[in-house]
Each structure stands twice: as C-alpha cells, then as structure tokens.
Amino acid sequence: MTSTVPALGTRTAEGSALQAVLLDMDGTLVDTEGFWWDAEVEVFARLGHRLDDSWRHVVVGGPMTRSAGFLIEATGADITLAELTVLLNDGFEDRIGRALPLMPGAARLLAELVAHEIPTALVSASHRRIIDRVLTSLGPGNFGLTVAGDEVERTKPHPDPYLLAAGGLGADPARCVVIEDTATGIASAEAAGCHVVAVPSVAPITPAARRTVVPSLEEVDLSFLRGLLTM
C-alpha cells in the first residue's frame, strides 16, 4: 500500500509555483539499472538462454510484466511470467543487499527538498518488496508518499502512477516536476501532465517541451526546479 501523506503534503514554498517533486527510483536516485540487467542475464543463463545486449534498451525502465514478458518471448524460455517475476526480484534483491550506490547528487537533493518542506514522492515501476528494501538506504522520511508498480492497475508508461502521486500529495500535476531516467518513465510523467527533468541512465533522451535534460542530479537543486515552472 502507499504510505500515509503527512500534513505538510499540500504545503508549498511561499512565492513558488512548484507544488511537489516526484522522483523515479532505479537509475534516478539509486544506481541500480545495471542490477536489473545483471539479474535478467543471470536468470536466463540458468534457463539456458543468452540475452542480446540490444534488448537492454527495450527492458530498461519498464514494468516487470512488460520487461519479463518481452524476454520470455524473445528467448522462448520455458517459464511463466509469474515464475520469472519471482526469480528476477530475488536476483535484484540479492544485489541491493550487497551494495546500493546512490546516484551523484541524490542525497543532497533529497535533503534540500526535506529542509524546504517540498512535498516529495517516490514513484517506481519496481514492486513494493523492492521499494521497501531500497528505502532503508534512501530514507523513508524523505518521501511523503511512495508508489510501487504492483500497486497500480497500469504502471509506467501509463500516467496512473504519477497522477496517483500528485493527487496523494494534494498537488496539481501541472505544478509538479518529475525526475526520471528512462523514456518509459518520461512517457508516464508527460502523459500525467507534469514537467520533466530527464537524467539519462542507459539510453539517450532528447529535450522537448516541458522536458529538460541534464547529465546528472548534481545539476539539479530547488532553485533549478522552481525555475522550470516559470519558463
């Protein structure tokens, strides 16, 4: 289930049009996109299949059902979607149990948002069991709300996760900034009507209307985020 929204959820900084910041997890706040691919490669190797490196761009950032389903179809592996989902989550959880590197600038940005009481949500296509493990490193107190991929009927690239997060924080999606690293997540945020800051992890992303591309979270601070809604 999603977490309870604290009282400051609808509060905005004086003079700022920014109502909330909504952040993706894998590849955006934590350097784990490679962990997912490594888990996929390992699981399919045990099933007797070798994954093509070009498929990594297809599965990155996607919901588990889409990514796992694609790999089953592409390899012809004799495994059900439900069985594969369990194996992939197990493989990923094992990796984050050994190491969980944060992306450069992530800890500083989260601390700044908390210090200025900016309503913030974590919005991920990962399942709740994974999010809760990662939150022990990210700090659950940094987020007023968390949304997992297995808690919505339609996850990314559909707008539902970001609409749910904005609504849960009492924010207008048009007054929210989403920070994402993949085309799938960006499609979800833009379909919800949010401004987007893209920090590409695996595949390149081009700038567009209401979408700003930066090389790292080290380029992002509260002043930068507020400025996006005055452009």
Side-chain angles (χ1 to χ4, degrees):
M1 297 294 293
T2 53
S3 62
T4 302
V5 182
L8 61 81
T10 57
R11 203 167 157 192
T12 60
E14 184 178 353
S16 171
L18 178 66
Q19 292 183 359
V21 177
L22 316 176
L23 301 108
D24 174 53
M25 186 177 76
D26 294 304
T28 300
L29 291 176
V30 288
D31 192 7
T32 51
E33 289 292 10
F35 287 10
W36 281 114
W37 179 247
D38 290 345
E40 289 158 351
V41 168
E42 181 181 282
V43 168
F44 276 91
R46 296 205 304 266
L47 295 171
H49 297 276
R50 181 184 179 88
L51 300 188
D52 190 309
D53 284 342
S54 66
W55 297 344
R56 183 173 182 177
H57 297 287
V58 179
V59 301
V60 67
M64 179 72 75
T65 51
R66 191 199 73 185
S67 301
F70 168 82
L71 292 174
I72 290 173
E73 182 176 354
T75 61
D78 184 18
I79 189 171
T80 67
L81 183 60
E83 291 169 336
L84 180 57
T85 296
V86 171
L87 293 177
L88 292 178
N89 275 325
D90 286 347
F92 181 82
E93 204 165 349
D94 176 65
R95 283 165 170 78
I96 63 175
R98 287 180 263 150
L100 186 58
L102 270 59
M103 298 297 287
R108 186 264 315 151
L109 176 60
L110 291 174
E112 184 178 14
L113 295 174
V114 169
H116 288 84
E117 299 187 336
I118 303 298
T120 305
L122 184 69
V123 184
S124 176
S126 290
H127 289 185
R128 170 55 57 187
R129 61 177 280 196
I130 299 298
I131 288 180
D132 286 346
R133 283 291 302 274
V134 173
L135 278 173
T136 61
S137 294
L138 280 177
N142 287 320
F143 306 98
L145 180 71
T146 62
V147 177
D150 56 343
E151 294 174 342
V152 290
E153 184 175 347
R154 302 187 309 170
T155 188
K156 304 173 187 181
H158 298 287
D160 307 38
Y162 282 113
L163 290 175
L164 177 63
L169 294 176
D172 177 355
R175 295 297 182 186
C176 294
V177 174
V178 169
I179 304 180
E180 272 280 0
D181 71 306
T182 68
T184 300
I186 289 168
S188 173
E190 291 181 341
C194 304
H195 292 254
V196 175
V197 174
V199 190
S201 60
V202 175
I205 295 169
T206 57
R210 295 167 63 87
R211 181 198 307 167
T212 303
V213 180
V214 297
S216 166
L217 284 181
E218 293 182 308
E219 306 290 324
V220 180
D221 59 15
L222 182 54
S223 177
F224 174 86
L225 295 173
R226 285 174 170 161
L228 295 176
L229 276 75
T230 61
M231 295 172 63

